C-alpha cells in the first residue's frame, strides 16, 4: 500500500516537469482559447459614473481600464489614457471584443492591428465576462521560456557574466 502511494506521489511530481518540457510556442499554441490565460474578471461601471470613481477603481485594483456597462451589456471601455473626463465622454464606444473560446492569436491580431492594450471579453449576449491585457499575453508567452527569461540579470550589461551561471 505504501508503495502505491509513493508511486502516485512520484507520478504527480514528475508530471509538471514532463509538461514543461513538452511545451512549445508554435502556431497551434497561439490558437488555444483565450480562457487558458485565466483572464481576470472585468471591473465595470455605469457610463454615467464619474471619472473620479473610475480612477479610484483602477487604482484600487491596479488595472489600466474599466468597462462601461449599461443594462448588463458592454457599452464601452475606459483606459488610463482616456482620463480626465466623464466616462461616457472618453470611453471607446462599442469596442472590439472577443469571447473566452476565441483563439489567442485573434487577441494578438486585434491588439497588434488596433493598437489595443486591453480587449473586453463578452458572452454571447454581449455581457462582460473578462478583460484581456497585453500583460496577460506576455505572461503566457514567458511561461514557455521561464528559465530563459526569469534567470536573466536585471542589468543587460552583465549578460556575459550571466551566461556561465547555473540559474538564479
Amino acid at each position: 500500500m505504501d508503495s502505491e502511494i509513493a508511486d502516485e506521489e512520484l507520478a504527480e511530481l514528475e508530471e509538471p516537469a514532463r509538461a514543461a518540457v513538452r511545451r512549445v510556442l508554435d502556431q497551434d499554441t497561439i490558437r488555444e482559447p483565450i480562457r487558458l490565460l485565466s483572464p481576470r474578471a472585468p471591473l465595470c461601471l455605469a457610463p454615467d459614473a464619474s471619472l473620479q470613481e473610475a480612477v479610484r477603481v483602477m487604482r484600487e485594483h491596479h488595472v489600466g481600464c474599466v468597462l462601461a456597462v449599461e443594462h448588463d451589456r458592454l457599452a464601452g471601455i475606459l483606459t488610463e489614457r482616456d482620463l480626465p473626463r466623464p466616462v461616457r465622454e472618453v470611453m471607446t464606444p462599442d469596442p472590439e471584443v472577443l469571447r473566452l473560446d476565441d483563439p489567442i492569436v485573434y487577441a494578438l491580431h486585434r491588439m497588434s492591428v488596433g493598437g489595443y492594450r486591453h480587449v473586453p471579453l463578452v458572452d454571447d449576449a454581449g455581457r462582460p465576462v473578462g478583460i484581456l491585457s497585453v500583460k496577460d499575453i506576455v505572461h503566457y508567452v514567458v511561461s514557455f521560456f521561464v528559465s530563459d527569461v526569469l534567470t536573466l540579470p536585471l542589468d543587460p550589461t552583465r549578460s556575459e557574466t550571466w551566461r556561465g551561471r547555473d540559474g538564479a
Side-chain angles (χ1 to χ4, degrees), residues 27-39 95-110 119-124 129-130 132 137 140:
Q27 289 189 12
D28 291 334
T29 304
I30 61 174
R31 284 180 169 70
E32 293 289 339
I34 290 170
R35 72 177 59 255
L36 288 179
L37 302 178
S38 301
E96 292 192 42
V97 299
L98 291 169
R99 290 175 173 68
L100 287 171
D101 290 321
D102 287 338
I104 295 167
V105 70
Y106 280 40
L108 286 168
H109 180 264
R110 293 262 169 91
V119 176
L121 304 173
V122 298
D123 64 14
D124 290 337
V129 296
L132 182 67
I137 293 178
Y140 177 69

Side-chain angles (χ1 to χ4, degrees), residues 19-31:
V21 172
R22 290 190 304 246
R23 292 189 74 184
V24 175
L25 183 59
D26 60 13
Q27 289 189 12
D28 291 334
T29 304
I30 61 174
R31 284 180 169 70

Side-chain angles (χ1 to χ4, degrees), residues 29-78:
T29 304
I30 61 174
R31 284 180 169 70
E32 293 289 339
I34 290 170
R35 72 177 59 255
L36 288 179
L37 302 178
S38 301
R40 65 189 170 281
L43 297 173
C44 303
L45 294 173
D48 294 327
S50 71
L51 270 175
Q52 290 85 351
E53 176 67 5
V55 169
R56 185 193 62 74
V57 168
M58 286 191 281
R59 283 184 178 164
E60 181 178 309
H61 294 275
H62 306 288
V63 297
C65 74
V66 293
L67 301 182
V69 176
E70 198 163 41
H71 306 295
D72 289 332
R73 300 207 40 143
L74 179 66
I77 184 171
L78 174 79

